[in-house]
Amino acid sequence: MILEMVRANGAVSLRELARVVQTSEVTVRRDVRALEAEGLLDRRHGGAVLPGGFTRESGFPQKSHLATAEKTAIADLAANFVEEGEAIVVGAGTTTQELARRLARVPGLTVVTNSLLVAQALAHANRVEVVMTGGTLRGSNYALVGSGAEQSLQGLRVSRAFLSGSGLTAERGLSTSNMLSASVDRALVQAAAEVVVLADHTKLGTDTMFQTVPTDIITRLVTDDPPPHDDRAHTELQALADQGVQIAVAGAAGASGGDEVPARRQQRALPGPRRGQQVPAAGAGLRTAAVLGDQGAERERARVADLRRR
């Protein structure tokens, strides 16, 4: 069952494998090690991938069933970084689709996207204007790609770009497995003053073929809290923070599969702005205090210290 899931999807998290085979992550991890020893798959930061180094891209049907609780929590938190009346770009992906569903409630918002799924999620939002790029439809992820999409973004300027991808490392930044998708994502980034990456913990430390956003261009990462035993994901988070990426961690502890995500959310702001980066003015859409809740700065400093000790 485990090998069949990895072959079908390209990459599967241990949490998802445990849910599908109805056993513990400890048991799944042991089975994955045994399959890796036989050369049938590779272990990667809280999951398993096809052997051969770089993961291949999964289609939308497979992606839509992976890490659903984590994606929901990430989308809930990411929506807090969008202000009324803003103009933003939202890239293709299942996590950005979840974000778009929440943006339907933001009045006066303008969303530029190359994703049919994002546009569909906002189609009936009366107070949101949706601007589609041109381009050629890529059926595997319902996204518009190619020179038409890239040319339609020339001269565009928005406040933020919200992007997802196949992998994220501190060394290379965000990456994807498809050249056409990577090229459009780079054009989306060039149109934005800030770049917000949405990536669940299974993508942390995963490197795929085409770089889309270098680490020094990423303003903020919105992710979920990796399992305590996932040392590589925690290490990658710290490495990203050390390079100036602001880390916002959605609290989805205990959530699995399609379960309801708890309302509790938290942000780890690590560390401050990069050298030479301007500090956004108050009301510029970051709303850090609102995300942190009522616990105050003292509790946040404790979280920072805890993350640095890992």
Side-chain angles (χ1 to χ4, degrees):
M1 173 67 76
I2 292 176
L3 189 56
E4 284 77 5
M5 286 184 64
V6 175
R7 284 173 174 169
N9 299 309
V12 186
S13 69
L14 293 179
R15 186 178 298 174
E16 186 69 12
L17 287 170
R19 185 185 69 83
V20 172
V21 302
Q22 297 182 338
T23 186
S24 68
E25 287 189 34
V26 173
T27 300
V28 168
R29 193 178 301 108
R30 182 190 63 203
D31 295 341
V32 166
R33 286 197 190 101
L35 292 169
E36 183 183 42
E38 296 178 24
L40 299 175
L41 51 76
D42 291 339
R43 287 184 295 159
R44 284 289 189 279
H45 313 297
V49 302
L50 291 175
F54 295 106
T55 59
R56 68 174 178 85
E57 185 178 33
S58 304
F60 172 77
Q62 292 81 25
K63 288 182 178 180
S64 62
H65 296 294
L66 296 176
T68 53
E70 290 84 351
K71 292 174 183 177
T72 301
I74 290 169
D76 284 342
L77 181 53
N80 286 293
F81 300 113
V82 180
E83 294 281 0
E84 296 182 7
E86 273 193 302
I88 63 174
V89 296
V90 179
T94 53
T95 310
T96 51
Q97 180 188 23
E98 286 295 324
L99 171 63
R101 290 171 176 150
R102 287 143 184 83
L103 298 182
R105 301 187 292 268
V106 182
L109 189 65
T110 300
V111 177
V112 181
T113 185
N114 69 319
S115 169
L116 298 187
L117 298 176
V118 168
Q120 182 184 43
L122 295 167
H124 300 292
N126 295 327
R127 298 177 294 177
V128 178
E129 180 179 2
V130 179
V131 179
M132 294 288 299
T133 69
T136 302
L137 178 63
R138 184 165 179 261
S140 61
N141 64 346
Y142 301 96
L144 297 172
V145 298
S147 59
E150 295 171 40
Q151 290 173 8
S152 66
L153 293 165
Q154 292 180 2
L156 182 71
R157 192 62 173 171
V158 298
S159 58
R160 292 179 188 84
F162 291 86
L163 298 177
S164 186
S166 302
L168 178 64
T169 67
E171 181 180 0
R172 290 186 73 219
L174 190 67
S175 61
T176 188
S177 303
N178 181 266
M179 181 174 62
L180 294 175
S181 295
S183 186
V184 174
D185 281 353
R186 285 193 288 268
L188 291 171
V189 167
Q190 291 176 0
E194 296 181 4
V195 178
V196 181
V197 171
L198 313 182
D200 65 78
H201 74 273
T202 64
K203 297 177 180 179
L204 297 177
T206 298
D207 198 6
T208 51
M209 189 171 295
F210 299 99
Q211 182 191 56
T212 56
V213 190
T215 305
D216 60 353
I217 302 299
I218 300 173
T219 307
R220 174 177 283 105
L221 165 65
V222 184
T223 186
D224 63 296
D225 201 9
H229 57 75
D230 195 346
D231 294 335
R232 290 182 176 179
H234 287 289
T235 300
E236 202 69 47
L237 275 179
Q238 185 60 62
L240 288 163
D242 290 343
Q243 294 198 36
V245 178
Q246 299 172 36
I247 311 295
V249 180
S256 62
D259 295 345
E260 187 73 15
V261 177
R264 176 180 63 83
R265 303 187 189 112
Q266 61 186 6
Q267 172 174 316
R268 290 173 182 160
L270 290 177
R274 294 181 197 76
R275 182 179 303 173
Q277 178 181 355
Q278 293 183 348
V279 179
L286 301 187
R287 293 196 284 183
T288 303
V291 179
L292 292 176
D294 299 327
Q295 300 302 317
E298 187 63 34
R299 182 174 178 181
E300 186 58 20
R301 283 193 293 269
R303 285 178 181 155
V304 171
D306 177 66
L307 185 60
R308 292 190 181 280
R309 285 194 297 267
R310 294 181 181 181

